[in-house]
Amino acid sequence: MTEAPHLNAIRQSYDTVAADYATFVKDPGALDPLSRAVLAAFAELVTAAGLGPTADVGCGPGKVTAYLSGLGVDAFGVDLSPRMVELARAAHPDLRFDVGAMSALAADDGELGGVLAFYSTHHLPPESLPGAFAEFLRALAPGGHLLLVTRVGEEEHQRRTYGYGGGDPAPFDSYRLPTDRIAGLLEQAGFAVTGQTLQAPEEGAKRPVAGFLARKPEGCRA
């Protein structure tokens, strides 16, 4: 199967900036209280359900994967960028990290108890989101949980030509969608949206952040 061009572009860009990104991105313990509370709520849901491991898709250098593990979650990371996965494995040798795409998870149907997409879906063109959400649903066990956190906007497309650190050229496309559209796409994929948060932009940021907790309904065999 031919890979979508945007996936190759994402991989190349994050391979280029991986070392700078690993330094730049905050440790989850240093995030704002609401972000930490949402992660803690998700961790509680998936550990209580006990349905299988949790995939942190778009895991980058593995900091959030490790944070979930510290909260008692059986978590592993997945990222398109081999360089990111290399850094994650070096920093967290006790955890599992795989190279792969969130749109084609290396998981059997119903294998996962949780899926976390923490600031990792905004690089996907909007037309690719239904396929990614359908893949999350497929891989989750009935009763499994999804947490998606992303910056939102009004159907905005931003292209940057330099990444973190301002070194080598690394183009990034970002898409900011309205919260109701993201929730609608999750529901259309088959999820039941069980909770939603909306945070005002942090100082220096231009877009609010939305969090979506969703669940694969019991009896759903998609």
Side-chain angles (χ1 to χ4, degrees):
M1 181 180 295
T2 303
E3 182 179 67
H6 68 268
L7 295 181
N8 187 51
I10 294 168
R11 178 187 300 109
Q12 291 184 2
S13 292
Y14 273 103
D15 274 349
T16 299
V17 304
D20 287 329
Y21 182 86
T23 301
F24 171 87
V25 70
K26 290 181 180 180
D27 288 322
L31 292 172
D32 62 274
L34 183 55
S35 294
R36 287 186 280 113
V38 171
L39 285 170
F42 174 69
E44 183 175 342
L45 288 168
V46 296
T47 53
L51 296 172
T54 290
D56 175 11
V57 299
C59 67
K63 294 183 180 183
V64 179
T65 316
Y67 188 75
L68 286 179
S69 179
L71 294 175
V73 178
D74 178 12
F76 68 96
V78 180
D79 202 278
L80 263 179
S81 163
R83 179 57 178 150
M84 283 290 195
V85 169
E86 181 182 336
L87 292 173
R89 288 171 175 167
H92 310 287
D94 54 327
L95 297 178
R96 168 188 161 193
F97 295 96
D98 300 331
V99 176
M102 66 177 69
S103 54
L105 296 172
D108 293 335
D109 294 354
E111 179 181 343
L112 303 179
V115 172
L116 172 67
F118 197 71
Y119 295 97
S120 59
T121 59
H122 62 281
H123 293 307
L124 297 178
E127 62 270 19
S128 299
L129 289 176
F133 293 170
E135 178 67 353
F136 297 167
L137 191 80
R138 178 200 68 79
L140 279 170
H145 296 276
L146 166 71
L147 172 59
L148 187 155
V149 177
T150 189
R151 298 196 185 279
V152 292
E154 297 300 326
E155 306 287 353
E156 300 158 21
H157 176 200
Q158 179 185 27
R159 184 171 178 82
R160 294 166 47 187
T161 56
Y162 285 82
Y164 303 89
D168 296 329
F172 289 91
D173 287 287
S174 296
Y175 302 87
R176 316 296 190 198
L177 303 183
T179 55
D180 58 352
R181 184 174 178 196
I182 296 172
L185 289 172
L186 289 170
E187 291 170 347
Q188 290 169 26
F191 282 101
V193 176
T194 57
Q196 190 172 315
T197 60
L198 183 64
Q199 296 173 249
E202 295 179 354
E203 185 177 352
K206 296 181 179 180
R207 299 292 179 269
V209 172
F212 303 85
L213 280 166
R215 183 172 176 271
K216 181 173 179 176
E218 297 287 353
C220 178
R221 302 299 173 187

